Amino acid sequence: MKNVRALVLSASIALLPAVAGAQLLDPSLLTKPLGDGGWPTYSGDYSSKRYSNLTQVNQSNVKNLTLAWTVRVTAGLDSGGGRGGFGGFGGGGPVTIVGGEGAEPGGGGFGGNANIRASILEVDGVLYFSTPDNAWAADARDGHVLWHYFWKTKGGTHIGNRGLGMWGNWLYMETPDDYLICLDAKTGKERWHKEIANFNQQYFSTMAPIVVGNHILIGTGNDLDEPGYVQARDPETGDVQWTYYTVPMKKGDPGLETWGSLDGAQHGAGNVWIPGSYDPETHLYIFGTGNPSPAYTNPPSRSGDNLYTCSIVAINVDTGKMAWYYQVNPHDTHDWDSTETPIIVDGTFQGRPRKMVLHADRNGYFYVIDRLTGEHLLTSKFSNTANWATGVNAKGQPVRNPEKDSTVPGSLTSPNNGGATNWPPPSYSPDTGLFYVPTSDVYSMYYLTETDPRGAMGLGGKDEEMLASMGSYLRAIDYKTGKVAWAHRYPGFGGGLGNGMLTTAGKLLFAGDAGGNLVAYDPANGKILWHSHLGQVSDAPETYMLDGHQYILVAAGDSLFAFTLY
C-alpha cells in the first residue's frame, strides 16, 4: 500500500504544473454543443438540454463502466482542503483560503460534512464545484483537490448551492448571506465580493451564476415577502448593470392590475433561485419565477393572477427588459415555484418547425411554449395524482380549485409542497424527442393554521401532513403530444425525488434514483443497462472527455465519483 500511495502522490504532483499553466475558459465554448468543451456552465450549455454529443460510452459498452476515482471533501475551516485521490489517497491537501464577512472563528458553525448538490464545472482538465460557503477546484483526471475556498458567513438559509459560474480566469459564487464572490480560478484567491441582496430582509442566495457575454446573471431567494429579481453584474467589478424585478414595483408597471394593491405586488416574492437558459439567436435569457407571497393565504392584496410569479419569463440579456412571459400557474396557493429549468429545443410541432421552451412544473403540468413570442403551444398533466385544478383554460393554464387550498379542516391535495418535480434538472434527447424529468406522486393534507393574513406572511399560515405516496418516477414525455412515453418507478415507497438527468449521443440516459443508485437507461424505453450503488446521489450526472477517456461524473453527499471505460 505504501508504494501505491507514493505512486498516486507522484502522479498528482506531476500534473500540477500542467494544470496551473493551462488555458482557462474560452467564452466561445459556451455557445458550442455540449461535449465539445467540457462542462463550462450550469447545464453544460446554454440550451439546458443536458445532452452531450460524446459517444465513447454507449449502449454497447456501458456495462464496462468502472470507477476511475473518488474524492471526499469536508466543508469549513478545518477541512484541510479535502482528501483527494482514488480511495482517499492524497493526504491533507492544500491550505484552505478564507474570506467572508462572518465573525471569527468558524464562520457561524456551518462547516463539517459537505452535501454537493451543485452542478460541477469541468474546464480544461479542472473541476470546479461548491456547497454553501465553500468552493473547490480538483483535478479532473484523478480528483485530487487543487484548492479550497471557505466563506465565513453571517448566517442565513444553507439549503444548498447550485454551483459556480466562470468567465475567463475567474469564478463566481453566491453565498447564503447574499454576496457575489469572484475567485481566481487558478489559485482560489478572492478578487472581490459584492452584496447582492439585503440579508436583514431574509434573502438567501443559492443560484449558480450564468455568464453571458460580459454579464454575470444572478438571482436570489426569499421565503418572507420581499420582491424577487434577476441582476446582471459586471464580471470585472461586480457592479450592477441592470435589475429586473419579477413583480410590479411602482405605479404603471405592467402586471400591477393582477394584484390587489401596489403594496401587495411590491411584497409579492416571485424569487429566482434556479438558473435559466439563454438563446444566443434572440439574446433572450429565459427563466422561471417562484411563488407569490403570502404563499398559502388569500388576502385582498393578493387578489388576481399575481404576475409575474410562477411564470416563464424572457428578458433581453443586454438591457434587462422583458420580451415576453407565460404564466404557468396563476395565483399559486401551494408554494409551487416555477423555477424548474426550462429547456430550449428546435423541432417540429404540429407539422411545422418551431423554436420552443419545454418546462415541467412543480404543479404537475408540462408546458411547451414558443420561445420567440411566448405563445402557448401545449399543456399536459404528467403527474397521475395532481388533483388541485378543475381543468385547463383557453390559455393552457390549470384552473385552481379553491377547495384544494389550505383549509381549517384540511384539504387532500396533490402534489405535496415539494411538488411533482423540483430543482433537480431535467434533460432532453434529440435522438428520441423525449423530455426526461424526475417526478413524485404524493398526497398531503393542507391545513390552514392562521386566518389573519398579518400572521401568515411568507410561508407561514399552514401545516402539512403527508398521507400517501404513489411512488417516485423517472418520466419520459413526448413534447409533441405531452403524453408520458414511458415511466420507470424508483425503488421504495417514499415520496422523495430522484436526482437530475443526463442524456448522451451514445444513446444513454444517466440519472440518480431515490434509492441511491447511479443508473444508465436506454432513453427510448427506460430499460436499465447499468447501475452502481453510491448510497446517496446528490446532484445530476455530467460527462466530459479528457486524455481520450469519457468520464461520467456524479456527486454523492460529500464525495465525487468519476466512472470511465478501461
Side-chain angles (χ1 to χ4, degrees), residues 235-259:
E236 301 256 9
T237 64
D239 294 339
V240 176
Q241 295 169 329
W242 52 256
T243 300
Y244 168 80
Y245 285 97
T246 61
V247 290
M249 294 298 291
K250 62 182 184 301
K251 290 183 178 180
D253 278 355
L256 181 57
E257 70 280 1
T258 66
W259 293 84

Side-chain angles (χ1 to χ4, degrees), residues 315-391:
I315 57 177
N316 184 291
V317 75
D318 295 317
T319 65
K321 303 297 183 183
M322 184 174 69
W324 57 259
Y325 77 94
Y326 179 76
Q327 190 173 39
V328 300
N329 196 8
H331 195 85
D332 170 56
T333 53
H334 296 90
D335 183 31
W336 289 330
D337 295 334
S338 297
T339 55
E340 296 75 36
T341 307
I343 292 180
I344 288 176
V345 169
D346 291 344
T348 301
F349 187 84
Q350 295 183 349
R352 56 174 287 198
R354 283 280 195 172
K355 297 180 181 296
M356 297 166 286
V357 174
L358 312 182
H359 172 79
D361 199 79
R362 192 162 155 178
N363 68 11
Y365 286 78
F366 173 75
Y367 302 83
V368 181
I369 305 164
D370 187 300
R371 77 168 182 269
L372 301 182
T373 65
E375 175 190 356
H376 168 263
L377 300 179
L378 179 144
T379 300
S380 66
K381 188 168 73 169
F382 66 82
S383 169
N384 292 332
T385 57
N387 69 352
W388 64 275
T390 59

